[in-house]
Structure formats: structure tokens, C-alpha cells
Amino acid sequence: MGLFKSLFSHFSAWKYKIDRKILKEYINESIEFGQKEKLPLCDEFYLAKDEKENVKLHIAVINFDAPCDNCLDVEKSMEGTIIFVNEEKKYDPEHDEKFYTTEDFINIKLIDFPESFILYNEYGAPVSLEKYKI
């Protein structure tokens, strides 16, 4: 059973050791791609202070300028690209912290993060982060 748990945790997310500059470039790249391709969800990932940290920030970058046929009532008045942050594993636009720029998100929310920290991505391995993979 321990082997399966180890394999599951190994393959459940790609991990990257990054800093604020790399995170800023990555988020801005995701936003630019989402806007260009008219995607409602630009990106979704998690951040932790280190690999041992149990508390992870859930980050969802949503493009409200993209067409969406099934948006929530609370989303109907939103526009632009917004970065939603919580410590849950789900997007909750009514209760999540909202940031309207990458800089505000990094400067405000990550103020107590160390110089280098961990980004987890469960949905894919971003090419731009490949050299930071751990």
C-alpha cells in the first residue's frame, strides 16, 4: 500500500521550485494566452512555501472577457482577468481573495513566502517552467 501511495503522490502534480519573478512571468504568460485564445480559465495551480508545507494556496486565473455559456450568477458582473486565491481545493468566487494584477497578488499575498517556493500543477507540465521542475 505504501508503494501505491508514494506513486500516487509522485504523479499527482508536477512540482517546480520558483521565485516571484518566475511566477510573475508564468502568470502573465497564462493570462496573455487565455486572452488571445478567449479561454475562461487561464490557469489553475497551487503554491506552498516549501515541499513539506501542508497548507497550499489554490490559485485560479479567470478571464471574464471570454465567452462563457454557463457562468455563475456572481460571475455575471465580473470582467477582465482576476486571480482568485484560497486555501481550499475549489474555486469560490464569492469568498476567494481577488487580485486584479499579478503584481498585487505577488506583493500582497506572498509577502510572507520565502525567496524560493513551490508551484504545483495538477493539470499539466508547463513548458516555460520545465527548467524549474523538481
Side-chain angles (χ1 to χ4, degrees), residues 4-131:
F4 291 113
K5 183 177 180 183
S6 175
L7 286 172
F8 178 75
S9 67
H10 179 71
F11 291 108
S12 63
W14 287 267
K15 294 187 288 189
Y16 306 90
K17 188 163 188 154
I18 61 170
D19 60 23
R20 286 167 176 77
K21 180 180 181 228
I22 296 163
L23 178 62
K24 180 180 175 182
E25 291 170 359
Y26 175 67
I27 292 174
N28 287 338
E29 174 185 283
S30 296
I31 290 171
E32 185 178 311
F33 181 77
Q35 290 172 340
K36 179 182 168 199
E37 299 299 322
K38 297 182 171 82
L39 301 173
L41 177 64
C42 296
D43 206 346
E44 184 175 19
F45 54 90
Y46 299 87
L47 295 176
K49 292 179 182 180
D50 59 46
E51 289 185 80
K52 297 174 186 166
E53 180 76 33
N54 288 330
V55 176
K56 295 179 184 136
L57 295 178
H58 174 254
I59 316 300
V61 183
I62 310 292
N63 175 15
F64 289 101
D65 294 337
C68 182
D69 295 332
N70 59 351
C71 63
L72 303 170
D73 287 340
V74 70
E75 295 175 321
K76 290 179 181 176
S77 64
M78 295 181 179
E79 55 187 40
T81 301
I82 302 173
I83 300 168
F84 292 88
V85 182
N86 68 41
E87 291 181 10
E88 305 292 324
K89 191 180 173 166
K90 61 179 181 166
Y91 163 68
D92 183 356
E94 288 186 282
H95 299 101
D96 289 356
E97 288 184 75
K98 297 170 190 66
F99 296 92
Y100 299 92
T101 68
T102 305
E103 293 80 11
D104 283 349
F105 163 63
I106 291 170
N107 293 335
I108 297 168
K109 191 63 184 177
L110 303 184
I111 196 158
D112 66 337
F113 267 55
E115 186 174 322
S116 294
F117 47 89
I118 308 298
L119 182 146
Y120 295 88
N121 193 320
E122 294 180 339
Y123 303 111
V127 174
S128 62
L129 296 179
E130 184 63 32
K131 62 185 171 183

